[in-house]
Amino acid sequence: MKIISELDYKPNIFASNLASKKSAVFATLLPQPPSKEGYWNKPFIGVQKRIAELKQFGIQIQPFAFSQTNPAEFVREAEKIIELKPDGIVLAPFYRKESLEFIEKLKMNNIPFVFIDSEIKNAGQISYIGQNSYQSGLVSGKLLDLMLPGGNILIIHFAKEMDNQNHLVEREKGFYDWYKKNNQTTHQLFTTEVPDTDNELWMEKVKSIIEKNNIKGIFVTNSKVFYAGRLIEKYKLTDIKVIGHDLVKWNIEYLKKDIVQFLICQRPEEQGYNAINKLFRYVVEKSNVPEQNYTSIDIITKENIDYYKEFK
Amino acid sequence: MKIISELDYKPNIFASNLASKKSAVFATLLPQPPSKEGYWNKPFIGVQKRIAELKQFGIQIQPFAFSQTNPAEFVREAEKIIELKPDGIVLAPFYRKESLEFIEKLKMNNIPFVFIDSEIKNAGQISYIGQNSYQSGLVSGKLLDLMLPGGNILIIHFAKEMDNQNHLVEREKGFYDWYKKNNQTTHQLFTTEVPDTDNELWMEKVKSIIEKNNIKGIFVTNSKVFYAGRLIEKYKLTDIKVIGHDLVKWNIEYLKKDIVQFLICQRPEEQGYNAINKLFRYVVEKSNVPEQNYTSIDIITKENIDYYKEFK
DNA sequence: TATTTTTCCGTGTACGAACACGGAATTTCA
DNA sequence: TGAAATTCCGTGTTCGTACACGGAAAAATA
């Protein structure tokens, strides 16, 4: 070691990699996007990009997906992963309870795992990649507040099993806290859940909430803002300001139409890319990786959206 | 080639690089930051990071810097670069006229160049890395507008030789256009230039403009927003909303104190990193690089700033 | 102290592409 | 058609590290 530092010796990574020929298999366990335009395609694009780059190192990927409405599928796919015994896994702990059980098995098999998108604290992950959901809720609160001279606010969760979905709750909490901290009394806040959007019955229900409570602002806690957009178009509720999450195709359309005013984004492709990279650094290069990697909380409007769409 | 595609042969980059041992020298010509906290340190941090990574490839860097107030220095350093004959250069075309002359010489010597931060269109650059300044002006306009129920707006350029500094003009143009497009008549816009901040005389002058014209919002076209912050602190003009550019230390302080409400940012480290990368791709790997690379227009507030400070 | 176990050290081979070289084949040109 | 120029092709060496191997030295154990 003394001589290494005396000569300032740096190993030649090319020679090193050429000679070593290591290999590893990584698995991903992410929600199945309901269509090509669904949010969950994006993290996977980043995963694939990094995997392609790491092909030289003999890294392979084995993707698994589960339904966003059916925890049993999550369990089933998790079983398959345990059988496969990969060298590492990228995991969206979408269902909290089921994830905890899965994690126990991963630990028993010594399989390192990285969380993406949402987080279970101190569960033994080597890293978490994603937003600080609470903080992004604060940002949403601030922006909607800025746009509203008066009127009340409706928070909509388009999701099933809310108590099993931690980061939507966190976003809501941050949102509420904005108004608490700035001891606002000009707006009153309401929350509603829409577990099922397959038929349009929910629209009537939400519309009546809006009318009854003088709602002038809507905050959607996930990427399904476009449903709120459709509602507003259908009933021509044009004086309502809307804020939501993620650069999904239909959301972009409503942003451009000025029905949605802001989207809070989190560079999902980058997250997928980073998650695989963390595994690689940990498993193959055996280097330490930071346990948390909060990604930026991007504020997107009509005017700056063109500079966020592309992933490089 | 047929057999290559039949076998799906992909060259092994490690073996390739191990055997080749190419080398190249790149130069940078960027403004000298007046202190450690100055904006122009940031792009250079990114430059250094990429250079460190490319050291394995035999890439070296030769940095040159010039004063932000003295075009003659730019010319002098440019001469040195021509003598050095590097294999490529990253260039901030800070002074338009002087840059054009320099570029002519670069072309004669067949030295490829990449613009960073601001752009001269169709000058023969292999790429431009930076923001679309006009568009970022629009964003600033929108945000300040959102915050101001009434009152007038002052645009401040903290810069010398404005007609030689294109992107400040572009930002101003975008800013004005926001109010034109939304045919706003609630706010009247004023512009002033502060070429010299060495003594505090400018403060009196600007203060009187503010008082005379019922100014309630300030837009600073570059990273010197903190001067506006000092002005506001000094005269306790607390009802004025301020927006400016770049995550410079003192700007961050004023953002946290809520004297500055928004900062528009452009990931300068990433820009430096990308600029070197573009050169590398073009010069060493001989691949084509996209001519424009507009970076995102990040909207930073007190609430999301913590997720932008770090460069990874 | 004798024996086993572990560490140390030097040698030899492998990794896959680059590049030089020389001879053969092909093309160009008069 | 013959000479010169160019392209083609196969061989051999090189880049710097990894890793296996065997023998020697050192450490651990009985």
Side-chain angles (χ1 to χ4, degrees):
Chain A
M1 294 311 288
K2 214 178 84 190
I3 293 173
I4 280 181
S5 72
E6 262 171 33
L7 300 181
D8 191 30
Y9 166 84
K10 299 271 163 57
N12 181 313
I13 49 161
F14 301 118
S16 167
N17 282 309
L18 180 60
S20 67
K21 300 262 88 193
K22 313 173 199 182
S23 77
V25 177
F26 294 150
T28 58
L29 182 56
L30 307 176
Q32 179 70 49
S35 80
K36 266 192 186 174
E37 304 302 335
Y39 173 78
W40 280 100
N41 288 295
K42 290 169 183 278
F44 195 63
I45 288 171
V47 164
Q48 285 176 308
K49 173 149 191 231
R50 191 61 184 140
I51 289 287
E53 290 170 6
L54 296 178
K55 213 182 152 186
Q56 305 271 2
F57 294 83
I59 308 293
Q60 284 179 306
I61 181 83
Q62 197 76 254
F64 295 84
F66 57 87
S67 154
Q68 294 189 45
T69 52
N70 182 8
E73 215 173 300
F74 179 94
V75 176
R76 210 157 52 235
E77 296 298 308
E79 292 291 345
K80 286 191 203 162
I81 291 177
I82 298 289
E83 271 174 48
L84 174 69
K85 294 207 185 197
D87 300 279
I89 167 168
V90 175
L91 165 68
F94 199 82
Y95 303 111
R96 194 164 203 285
K97 193 162 55 78
E98 289 78 3
S99 297
L100 282 169
E101 284 170 26
F102 180 39
I103 285 164
E104 278 315 305
K105 290 186 198 150
L106 289 176
K107 281 186 195 162
M108 274 165 47
N109 285 278
N110 264 322
I111 300 173
F113 54 99
V114 171
F115 285 144
I116 191 168
D117 193 66
S118 65
E119 174 179 31
I120 298 175
K121 301 229 169 165
N122 304 315
Q125 65 272 37
I126 62 171
S127 193
Y128 163 62
I129 318 267
Q131 260 183 2
N132 181 327
S133 307
Y134 174 83
Q135 201 69 24
S136 90
L138 276 181
V139 173
S140 305
K142 172 173 189 159
L143 291 173
L144 195 53
D145 194 11
L146 257 182
M147 290 187 292
L148 291 184
N152 297 327
I153 293 169
L154 178 62
I155 296 153
I156 310 179
H157 300 289
F158 287 100
K160 264 188 193 165
E161 301 219 27
M162 270 301 293
D163 31 329
N164 211 353
Q165 291 214 35
N166 200 35
H167 73 303
L168 302 194
V169 178
E170 284 292 306
R171 281 174 181 169
E172 180 179 356
K173 210 192 284 175
F175 191 85
Y176 267 87
D177 276 6
W178 166 265
Y179 293 92
K180 265 187 220 151
K181 274 188 195 166
N182 298 273
N183 52 354
Q184 282 264 5
T185 46
T186 39
H187 315 295
Q188 220 186 318
L189 304 193
F190 300 86
T191 300
T192 187
E193 286 174 36
V194 179
D196 189 5
T197 46
D198 285 348
N199 68 59
E200 296 205 340
L201 282 177
W202 67 271
M203 284 196 167
E204 283 293 337
K205 203 190 94 197
V206 174
K207 188 199 164 203
S208 77
I209 297 176
I210 289 173
E211 283 173 348
K212 201 161 57 192
N213 299 296
N214 185 33
I215 299 296
K216 294 293 171 199
I218 290 178
F219 171 48
V220 177
T221 53
N222 60 14
S223 65
K224 318 263 163 113
V225 212
F226 57 89
Y227 284 122
R230 286 183 195 162
L231 180 86
I232 285 172
E233 267 189 333
K234 187 171 175 186
Y235 300 111
K236 304 213 168 55
L237 309 165
T238 42
D239 63 332
I240 292 186
K241 304 288 183 188
V242 182
I243 190 164
H245 282 85
D246 299 320
L247 281 189
V248 163
K249 189 183 168 197
W250 304 295
N251 293 351
I252 294 176
E253 280 171 18
Y254 283 110
L255 191 73
K256 293 209 161 168
K257 284 190 206 164
D258 210 31
I259 286 173
V260 170
Q261 279 71 39
F262 283 106
L263 288 171
I264 306 298
C265 302
Q266 52 177 327
R267 310 192 176 217
E269 297 94 343
E270 223 173 282
Q271 289 180 17
Y273 185 94
N274 278 332
I276 292 294
N277 199 38
K278 287 266 152 66
L279 272 188
F280 176 73
R281 295 256 297 271
Y282 183 85
V283 174
V284 181
E285 298 186 334
K286 307 223 184 295
S287 63
N288 285 330
V289 290
E291 198 184 310
Q292 258 162 353
N293 191 346
Y294 286 128
T295 50
S296 54
I297 299 174
D298 293 334
I299 301 172
I300 314 294
T301 77
K302 227 173 139 178
E303 287 74 26
N304 68 354
I305 184 172
D306 289 338
Y307 307 98
Y308 285 90
K309 276 192 276 186
E310 206 184 337
F311 169 58
K312 285 163 232 166
Chain B
M1 296 310 290
K2 212 178 86 190
I3 293 172
I4 281 181
S5 72
E6 263 171 34
L7 300 181
D8 192 29
Y9 166 85
K10 297 270 164 56
N12 181 314
I13 48 162
F14 302 119
S16 167
N17 283 311
L18 180 61
S20 69
K21 300 262 90 191
K22 316 176 199 182
S23 78
V25 177
F26 294 150
T28 58
L29 182 56
L30 307 176
Q32 178 71 50
S35 83
K36 266 192 184 174
E37 304 301 336
Y39 173 78
W40 280 100
N41 288 295
K42 290 170 183 277
F44 196 63
I45 288 171
V47 164
Q48 284 176 307
K49 174 150 193 231
R50 191 62 184 140
I51 289 288
E53 290 171 4
L54 295 178
K55 212 182 152 187
Q56 304 272 2
F57 294 84
I59 306 294
Q60 284 180 307
I61 182 83
Q62 197 77 255
F64 296 84
F66 57 88
S67 154
Q68 294 189 45
T69 51
N70 181 7
E73 214 173 299
F74 180 95
V75 175
R76 211 157 51 235
E77 296 297 308
E79 293 289 345
K80 286 192 205 161
I81 291 177
I82 297 290
E83 271 174 46
L84 173 69
K85 294 206 185 199
D87 300 279
I89 168 167
V90 175
L91 163 70
F94 200 82
Y95 303 111
R96 194 164 204 284
K97 194 161 56 79
E98 288 79 1
S99 297
L100 282 170
E101 284 169 26
F102 180 39
I103 285 165
E104 279 312 306
K105 289 184 198 150
L106 288 176
K107 281 187 197 163
M108 273 165 48
N109 285 278
N110 264 323
I111 300 173
F113 54 99
V114 170
F115 286 142
I116 191 170
D117 194 68
S118 64
E119 170 179 34
I120 298 175
K121 301 230 168 163
N122 303 315
Q125 66 273 37
I126 62 171
S127 193
Y128 162 62
I129 318 268
Q131 258 182 6
N132 181 328
S133 306
Y134 173 83
Q135 201 69 24
S136 90
L138 275 180
V139 173
S140 305
K142 171 171 190 161
L143 291 172
L144 195 52
D145 194 12
L146 257 182
M147 292 187 291
L148 290 185
N152 295 327
I153 293 169
L154 179 62
I155 296 152
I156 310 180
H157 300 289
F158 287 100
K160 265 189 191 167
E161 302 218 28
M162 271 299 294
D163 31 330
N164 211 354
Q165 291 215 34
N166 199 35
H167 73 303
L168 304 194
V169 178
E170 284 292 306
R171 281 173 180 170
E172 182 180 354
K173 211 191 283 177
F175 191 85
Y176 266 87
D177 276 5
W178 166 264
Y179 294 90
K180 263 187 223 154
K181 275 189 195 165
N182 298 273
N183 52 356
Q184 282 263 5
T185 47
T186 39
H187 314 295
Q188 220 186 318
L189 304 193
F190 300 85
T191 300
T192 187
E193 286 174 35
V194 180
D196 189 6
T197 46
D198 285 348
N199 69 58
E200 296 204 341
L201 282 178
W202 67 271
M203 284 196 169
E204 283 293 339
K205 203 190 96 198
V206 174
K207 188 199 164 204
S208 76
I209 297 176
I210 290 173
E211 285 174 346
K212 202 162 56 191
N213 299 296
N214 185 35
I215 299 296
K216 294 292 171 199
I218 289 178
F219 171 49
V220 176
T221 54
N222 60 14
S223 66
K224 317 265 163 108
V225 213
F226 58 87
Y227 284 121
R230 288 184 194 162
L231 180 86
I232 284 172
E233 268 189 332
K234 188 171 177 185
Y235 299 112
K236 305 211 166 57
L237 308 166
T238 42
D239 63 332
I240 293 186
K241 305 288 183 189
V242 182
I243 190 163
H245 282 86
D246 298 321
L247 281 189
V248 163
K249 189 184 168 196
W250 303 297
N251 292 352
I252 293 175
E253 281 172 18
Y254 282 109
L255 191 74
K256 292 206 163 169
K257 285 190 207 164
D258 209 30
I259 287 174
V260 170
Q261 279 71 36
F262 283 106
L263 287 172
I264 306 299
C265 302
Q266 51 178 328
R267 313 195 174 212
E269 298 94 344
E270 223 173 281
Q271 289 180 18
Y273 185 93
N274 278 332
I276 293 292
N277 198 37
K278 287 266 152 68
L279 272 187
F280 176 73
R281 294 257 296 271
Y282 183 84
V283 174
V284 181
E285 297 186 334
K286 307 220 185 299
S287 62
N288 285 331
V289 290
E291 198 185 309
Q292 257 162 353
N293 193 346
Y294 287 127
T295 50
S296 54
I297 299 173
D298 291 336
I299 301 171
I300 315 293
T301 79
K302 228 172 138 176
E303 287 75 25
N304 68 354
I305 184 170
D306 289 338
Y307 307 98
Y308 285 90
K309 277 193 275 187
E310 206 185 336
F311 169 59
K312 287 162 230 163

